[in-house]
Amino acid sequence: MRPFSHQRRVFRPAGLAQAVNLRMVHALAPDCDLEASVSAQQEQAAGIVFAGGMGLGAYHAGACRAIMEAESLEPAWLAGSSIGAVTAALFAGNPPERRMAALRSFWLDRRFEPLSPVSRGEARHLYNWASALSARLIGVEGHFRPRFPSNPFGPFRSLYDLAPMRRRLEALIDFERLNRGPIRVTVATTDVETARPVYFDTSTEPITIDHLLASCGLLPDFAPVEIGGRQLVDGGLSVNAPVDPLLRHPEHWRRLFVLDLFPPDGRRPASLEAAAARKSDLTFSSQTLRILEAYEAWGSRDDDSRERSIFYLSYRPVREEAGSERPYDLSVQSIETRLAAGYLDMQDALRQAGAGGRTGLVTMVRRPALAA
């Protein structure tokens, strides 16, 4: 594997010469169908980055529905950390007509709910907390289960076992399509010994189920995975929204959509629950914003950046969410709420993209928060 270099964080928009050459060819042969086709594909080409956040990742699935419905959007490159890597693999590892079925199956296929659903208000808030605590105690069908070591005095691995997720993903993802299909996929992990991000990319090597589980290895809850002599854990521990690879190669996209699962903007916390939740928001969302702000500062000096736009979206939890434990709430009601939010937010982003509604190189998409 040849991971991307992280020695320097200077982002230089590339592809200017290629764009100039295409414009020259078009000027010389304006009626050339091949050139028109290439130009149209480039105009539609999009990169999509899916951030980590466990159960909050259902927001991605809702956004994918809007992407599938948009005729003007052609995903060319997907990147993800943790549950974002799973979303990217489910999307690219299925033909278009089966993508949404695979995503919904991943999130919603279960034989029973441990708790009876509650509609809204404070009762819904308590229900979501109970759902998160239930997941902590007994796991979630098709996702993870508590790990009971055969030798309690042996070395520690993790609190939970992702074997149920392994089986579910192996049934839902066509890894041949994932690695040989038209969509490039990048999966982010973290080297547990160096703290550096390690990327795996289908353009250079095949991605397997082990790469996806490594990207989900959030310590101490989920176990590391050894790949190529390195012990790898959750990509979100170093880069929760892996935008770096796409920013280093902007010649491959015209529009980039970054889907975060923790909002950078929020109210001042007035309770212990709110303070703990806001801590998670700040920890993960600030990573992404710093990188995008640095790229925007550099890109504003380059004429080629005018042809590109970046749209930043993030899931903003409804009042009834279970505070800092909301990633562990995988109840059907909460999953459906996040699916709806992702769908509406991406629709709004696509409207802005189609209308040229960018406020700069980077546009933050902020639709009014969805009520539960």
Side-chain angles (χ1 to χ4, degrees):
M1 189 204 67
R2 298 175 60 187
F4 292 94
S5 171
H6 289 268
Q7 298 297 325
R8 300 170 61 202
R9 287 191 176 275
V10 177
F11 306 107
R12 300 181 183 275
L16 178 59
Q18 180 184 16
V20 170
N21 288 338
L22 285 174
R23 284 194 291 267
M24 289 175 64
V25 171
H26 185 65
L28 292 171
D31 297 324
C32 176
D33 291 339
L34 177 61
E35 175 56 29
S37 174
V38 171
S39 178
Q41 288 178 354
Q42 284 198 333
E43 284 301 316
Q44 292 182 337
I48 306 172
V49 176
F50 300 107
M54 290 188 56
L56 306 180
Y59 177 82
H60 296 152
C64 287
R65 177 188 163 196
I67 291 167
M68 291 295 298
E69 293 176 357
E71 297 180 357
S72 61
L73 187 66
E74 185 67 31
W77 190 352
L78 308 179
S81 275
S82 193
I83 197 64
V86 170
T87 301
L90 285 165
F91 190 96
N94 279 281
E97 66 274 12
R98 284 171 36 195
R99 285 171 183 162
M100 283 312 303
L103 286 162
R104 288 190 64 86
S105 179
F106 175 77
W107 286 111
L108 295 171
D109 275 7
R110 60 191 75 181
R111 289 168 294 180
F112 69 95
E113 276 274 274
L115 301 169
S116 298
V118 178
S119 59
R120 61 178 64 247
E122 186 58 29
R124 171 76 182 275
H125 182 215
L126 294 175
Y127 170 82
N128 289 342
W129 265 103
S131 173
L133 294 176
S134 171
R136 287 286 196 179
L137 291 172
I138 64 174
V140 178
E141 181 184 355
H143 291 263
F144 60 90
R145 65 191 179 202
R147 186 186 294 278
F148 300 106
S150 56
N151 177 10
F153 302 102
F156 174 79
R157 289 195 64 195
S158 64
L159 295 174
Y160 305 101
D161 186 355
L162 287 174
M165 182 186 288
R166 173 187 284 271
R167 289 193 294 271
R168 178 163 287 194
L169 292 178
E170 287 175 338
L172 292 174
I173 297 172
D174 179 348
F175 282 89
E176 181 72 15
R177 172 178 284 272
L178 171 63
N179 289 298
R180 296 181 179 273
I183 301 177
R184 178 177 178 177
V185 175
T186 301
V187 170
T189 65
T190 303
D191 189 317
V192 76
E193 295 180 290
T194 67
R196 295 172 67 81
V198 178
Y199 294 109
F200 298 90
D201 195 295
T202 56
S203 69
T204 58
E205 62 187 306
I207 286 174
T208 69
I209 187 66
D210 284 340
H211 295 97
L212 300 181
L213 295 185
S215 190
C216 293
L218 181 64
L219 297 172
D221 295 1
F222 306 111
V225 177
E226 184 155 332
I227 299 175
R230 285 184 288 197
Q231 194 174 66
L232 302 175
V233 293
D234 197 299
L237 295 174
S238 57
V239 53
N240 198 47
V243 296
D244 297 39
L246 285 84
L247 295 182
R248 293 175 188 277
H249 297 281
E251 67 273 17
H252 293 296
W253 50 269
R254 283 293 176 265
R255 288 176 288 178
L256 176 62
F257 297 87
V258 181
L259 279 65
D260 220 335
L261 297 179
F262 297 91
D265 51 340
R267 297 178 179 177
R268 298 178 182 181
S271 66
L272 176 59
E273 178 185 352
R278 189 65 189 140
K279 173 188 172 184
S280 297
D281 297 341
L282 296 171
T283 299
F284 291 108
S285 64
S286 61
Q287 296 180 8
T288 312
L289 285 183
R290 285 198 301 268
I291 296 173
L292 292 178
E293 286 169 357
Y295 181 77
E296 183 170 40
W298 180 268
S300 63
R301 310 175 195 174
D302 193 289
D303 290 339
D304 197 38
S305 69
R306 297 173 186 171
E307 300 180 4
R308 298 183 176 86
S309 53
I310 301 173
F311 294 87
Y312 175 87
L313 300 76
S314 64
Y315 174 62
R316 287 179 294 163
V318 295
R319 292 187 303 274
E320 289 80 2
E321 288 273 21
S324 60
E325 285 295 299
R326 63 184 184 265
Y328 277 88
D329 172 20
L330 275 74
S331 64
V332 169
Q333 276 190 317
S334 293
I335 294 300
E336 292 284 9
T337 295
R338 296 161 191 162
L339 283 164
Y343 178 68
L344 294 174
D345 282 358
M346 180 55 78
Q347 278 191 322
D348 195 44
L350 292 170
R351 277 194 295 268
Q352 293 190 42
R358 46 181 278 184
T359 57
L361 179 58
V362 180
T363 299
M364 183 177 289
V365 178
R366 276 294 172 264
R367 183 185 54 81
L370 184 72

